[in-house]
Amino acid sequence: MNPTTSRAPARTLTALALATGIALTAAACSSEPRPAADDPTDTARPHGYVAGATESQEPQLRLLAVSATGETTLHDLLTADSTDLDTVDAPEHSATDGRFLLTSDDDRTTVVDGGAWTVDHGDHTHYYAAEPRVVGTLDGGGRVEVHSSETLTAVTWPDRGEAVLLDRSALGQGELDVTARLDATVLLPTAERLVAASDDRVRVLSADGEDVRAEQPCQDPAGGIVTRAGAVVGCADGVVIVDDEGTARTVPLPDTAADAVPRATAFAARAGRPTVAGLAGDTGFWLLDSREGAWRHVPTDRPLRAVVAVDDADEHVVGIDDQGRVVVHTMTTGAVATTDALVDGAAGPLLQLDAQRAYLADPQDGVVHEIDFADDARVSRTIELPVAPAAFAEVGL
């Protein structure tokens, strides 16, 4: 399949808002873009007010990329405009929470605000945009992970077993306000509490990290994700899931597969969905329904280098194989579609997705391939960026 180069604006995203199954109501959300009030203490300010942000009717999706030398750019998928940001340290690792992109080297971690994000209130959703910027740096480097709630952002360095909590409101205003430091290899903030993993156990903590509310055994904790059905922490023999009430339960791997198939040590899914995916070594991938507590192992013809669960009506799962091809599994039918090789299959792929498209960045050619995964893995266009991405995120999710 031959991709084409285009600088035309991305597809209309009204369908994306509908695909989430959440309508904006007139009483709760604005139908037109609106700036925040001048006075943040104004008692008449609208529901969903965020200082310095503009609320819109649809997701403000953007691609945020950092080159191998730290050049940083933001590409707007609605307007096709690109904006250069301040240069950062050369990235060796990266992670994103759907708004912020974190890059790190051996010594420190840099936080870049993509300036677009979504807040899901369950019965309605808010879409925001603000000025993108480089926020600053945190001491400490190495492999990094980031997860956020509406009020907290948790930054974890799993290989060091260290984590910090940042005030998310301050972070959105360009300030790094560290509210707590914890020993953890996984740290997941939820609406009311924290879920932390270390020392062969998962702890459910108060929102400030001070009080332990519950504990659950978890050998060799690695990998975590927050889903609509709770926080998930990977363990040697399965996962621990902490629901919205703070109750922790263990979901073991199937007996028939636990010894023969490698565990997942990382999970990925479209934001806010209950079903997540994780690599099962070179054998294929795991699917975990965190609501039902059900595992499924899916073998693949070739080893995958990345995998993400879309968790839509057709249960699409998007992966990148060791030949650099995008591989789309439609779990409802068993169909598998692939592209031609798009990137170096030996390198760690830079893959992001939303409800309609997957984005695969190519660090060598400096482009991003946009994939319509629901249309037989069709390459809908190829987006040229001002920098070749060594770190990459889709923000506005």
Side-chain angles (χ1 to χ4, degrees):
M1 193 169 294
N2 295 321
T4 58
T5 300
S6 170
R7 291 184 181 276
R11 78 280 185 192
T12 301
L13 291 173
T14 303
L16 174 57
L18 294 175
T20 64
I22 303 171
L24 297 178
T25 62
C29 302
S30 169
S31 61
E32 298 292 338
R34 64 180 183 225
D38 291 334
D39 181 5
T41 63
D42 184 1
T43 57
R45 67 194 187 194
H47 165 72
Y49 168 88
V50 176
T54 298
E55 187 173 358
S56 299
Q57 190 174 355
E58 61 185 1
Q60 302 299 292
L61 299 180
R62 304 168 175 180
L63 302 180
L64 182 57
V66 181
S67 74
T69 55
E71 297 169 291
T72 305
T73 192
L74 187 72
H75 180 86
D76 192 313
L77 286 169
L78 288 173
T79 66
D81 294 330
S82 293
T83 303
D84 292 334
L85 304 182
D86 292 340
T87 299
V88 303
D89 296 334
E92 297 179 11
H93 311 275
S94 64
T96 183
D97 66 353
R99 174 179 179 177
F100 297 96
L101 173 64
L102 275 64
T103 64
S104 61
D105 57 19
D106 289 339
D107 300 316
R108 62 180 187 169
T109 297
T110 302
V111 182
V112 182
D113 185 355
W117 68 102
T118 293
V119 177
D120 185 353
H121 284 162
D123 61 343
H124 66 280
T125 305
H126 296 272
Y127 305 110
Y128 295 105
E131 286 298 315
R133 58 187 156 194
V134 176
V135 178
T137 59
L138 296 165
D139 291 335
R143 187 166 60 93
V144 65
E145 296 180 0
V146 59
H147 302 276
S148 295
S149 66
E150 279 195 61
T151 58
L152 294 171
T153 291
V155 180
T156 310
W157 297 274
D159 299 335
R160 294 176 17 221
E162 299 177 12
V164 297
L165 283 176
L166 304 176
D167 182 292
R168 190 168 178 82
S169 177
L171 194 59
Q173 300 302 313
E175 302 175 10
L176 290 173
D177 181 7
V178 177
T179 62
R181 298 181 182 273
L182 295 88
D183 294 329
T185 55
V186 178
L187 184 60
L188 305 172
T190 66
E192 303 292 337
R193 57 191 61 84
L194 298 172
V195 176
S198 63
D199 300 327
D200 294 335
R201 59 180 176 157
V202 171
R203 293 171 295 157
V204 183
L205 308 174
S206 57
D208 58 9
E210 295 292 332
D211 299 323
V212 178
R213 305 291 174 81
E215 292 188 2
Q216 191 82 355
C218 175
Q219 291 239 329
D220 190 21
I225 190 170
V226 178
T227 76
R228 187 173 293 278
V232 176
V233 178
C235 308
D237 58 353
V239 293
V240 169
I241 300 176
V242 180
D243 66 21
D244 291 341
E245 302 300 320
T247 302
R249 60 180 173 132
T250 298
V251 179
L253 291 169
D255 292 338
T256 55
D259 295 329
V261 180
R263 61 174 285 197
T265 57
F267 303 94
R270 182 160 61 95
R273 307 302 300 167
T275 300
V276 301
L279 295 176
D282 288 340
T283 70
F285 60 89
W286 287 107
L287 280 180
L288 171 68
D289 184 332
S290 62
R291 179 174 286 125
E292 300 297 328
W295 288 100
R296 179 177 179 182
H297 175 252
V298 181
T300 56
D301 291 338
R302 300 201 60 85
L304 298 181
R305 297 291 176 256
V307 65
V308 184
V310 182
D311 199 14
D312 55 1
D314 292 322
E315 300 178 14
H316 290 108
V317 179
V318 181
I320 312 297
D321 71 12
D322 62 349
Q323 295 182 331
R325 305 179 303 171
V326 176
V327 182
V328 179
H329 289 254
T330 304
M331 303 307 298
T332 53
T333 65
V336 179
T338 63
T339 65
D340 295 333
L342 298 176
V343 296
D344 181 359
L350 300 172
L351 176 66
Q352 298 280 288
L353 63 80
D354 56 43
Q356 289 186 327
R357 296 289 191 269
Y359 294 92
L360 176 63
D362 187 341
Q364 294 182 334
D365 292 341
V367 299
V368 176
H369 302 286
E370 182 182 76
I371 315 296
D372 186 346
F373 50 78
D375 187 15
D376 292 327
R378 176 176 60 89
V379 180
S380 56
R381 62 175 176 157
T382 297
I383 302 167
E384 294 181 351
L385 296 179
V387 304
F392 172 67
E394 182 182 8
V395 299
L397 303 175

